[in-house]
């Protein structure tokens, strides 16, 4: 009996899929940077709360040399998952899912350094290389600073006056 054999072929290794970089996942203690409210149980979790979280690095999102990270934490009351993403452009955090962020009273949309930079550029464009105009702006700025310092001093004096213990008044009676 004759056996049929398959033809000889070159055995090449199977093509492997390219190894894609995986996000770094680490479990670490974390201090909550924002005030949030859980959507499942409506429990408030306040800024400064120490939690144990899962932190993942987002590979495609970088700003300057800061990495964007995704943080997964659990509600302290009902253990529902809450996802928070860092926003290095605005130096802030925003909630992806599972909770709502509670805003502070006065939060600027632009970071402070960007506001200061835009004011500086505006002032330089206004001066346009004029030395007299730059001197006027400098003196105006110093006058504003002096006025603010005077206001702070007057507020300090008022506070000190109100903190002093008040002595009871004596009744003066005339003797005839």
């Amino acid at each position: 009996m004759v056996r049929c054999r398959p033809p000889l072929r070159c055995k090449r290794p199977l093509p492997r899929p390219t190894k894609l970089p995986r996000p770094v996942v680490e479990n670490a203690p974390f201090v909550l940077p924002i005030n949030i409210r859980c959507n499942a149980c409506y429990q408030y979790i306040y800024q400064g709360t120490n939690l144990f979280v899962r932190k993942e690095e987002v590979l495609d999102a970088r700003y300057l040399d800061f990495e964007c990270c995704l943080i997964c934490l659990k509600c302290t009351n009902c253990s529902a998952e809450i996802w928070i993403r860092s926003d290095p452009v605005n130096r802030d955090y925003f909630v992806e899912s599972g909770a709502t962020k509670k805003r502070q009273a006065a939060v600027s949309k632009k970071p402070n350094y960007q506001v200061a930079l835009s004011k500086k550029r505006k002032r330089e464009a206004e001066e346009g290389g004029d030395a007299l105009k730059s001197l006027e702006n400098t003196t105006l700025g110093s006058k504003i600073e002096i006025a603010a310092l005077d206001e702070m001093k007057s507020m300090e004096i008022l506070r000190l006056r109100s903190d002093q213990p008040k002595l009871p008044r004596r009744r003066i009676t005339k003797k005839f």
Side-chain angles (χ1 to χ4, degrees), residues 14-44:
L14 295 173
R16 292 185 180 177
T18 58
K19 289 188 176 181
L20 299 173
R22 292 183 159 198
V24 178
V25 178
E26 60 184 68
N27 295 326
F30 184 72
V31 177
L32 194 63
I34 55 174
N35 296 327
I36 57 175
R37 190 173 109 186
C38 178
N39 288 342
C41 65
Y42 301 108
Q43 173 77 27
Y44 286 94

Side-chain angles (χ1 to χ4, degrees), residues 17-26 55-62 67-70:
T18 58
K19 289 188 176 181
L20 299 173
R22 292 183 159 198
V24 178
V25 178
E26 60 184 68
K55 186 177 176 184
E56 299 178 8
E57 183 181 318
V58 180
L59 296 174
D60 59 340
R62 289 185 76 80
E67 63 186 28
C68 183
C69 61
L70 196 59

Side-chain angles (χ1 to χ4, degrees), residues 13 22 55 70 73 80 107 113 122-123 127-128 140 158:
R22 292 183 159 198
K55 186 177 176 184
L70 196 59
L73 57 105
V107 177
Y113 70 92
K122 183 179 177 184
R123 188 175 64 239
E127 291 171 3
L140 181 66
L158 289 173

Side-chain angles (χ1 to χ4, degrees), residues 137-171:
N137 285 341
T138 306
T139 55
L140 181 66
S142 61
K143 284 181 183 178
I144 291 170
E145 287 178 11
I146 290 170
L149 285 173
D150 288 341
E151 184 68 27
M152 286 174 49
K153 284 181 184 176
S154 66
M155 292 171 83
E156 182 71 20
I157 291 169
L158 289 173
R159 187 185 64 81
L160 289 175
R161 280 186 196 162
S162 66
D163 287 348
Q164 290 179 350
K166 295 186 178 183
L167 298 174
R169 288 187 172 183
R170 284 191 192 176
R171 253 183 154 178

Side-chain angles (χ1 to χ4, degrees), residues 34-93:
I34 55 174
N35 296 327
I36 57 175
R37 190 173 109 186
C38 178
N39 288 342
C41 65
Y42 301 108
Q43 173 77 27
Y44 286 94
I45 306 171
Y46 296 102
Q47 178 178 356
T49 306
N50 291 322
L51 300 166
F52 199 72
V53 300
R54 192 170 71 239
K55 186 177 176 184
E56 299 178 8
E57 183 181 318
V58 180
L59 296 174
D60 59 340
R62 289 185 76 80
Y63 176 73
L64 296 178
D65 202 20
F66 299 104
E67 63 186 28
C68 183
C69 61
L70 196 59
I71 299 160
C72 177
L73 57 105
K74 294 197 179 229
C75 175
T76 55
N77 190 30
C78 67
S79 298
E81 280 195 347
I82 299 171
W83 290 88
I84 299 174
R85 181 185 290 264
S86 68
D87 185 13
V89 176
N90 296 323
R91 295 189 293 173
D92 197 14
Y93 291 86

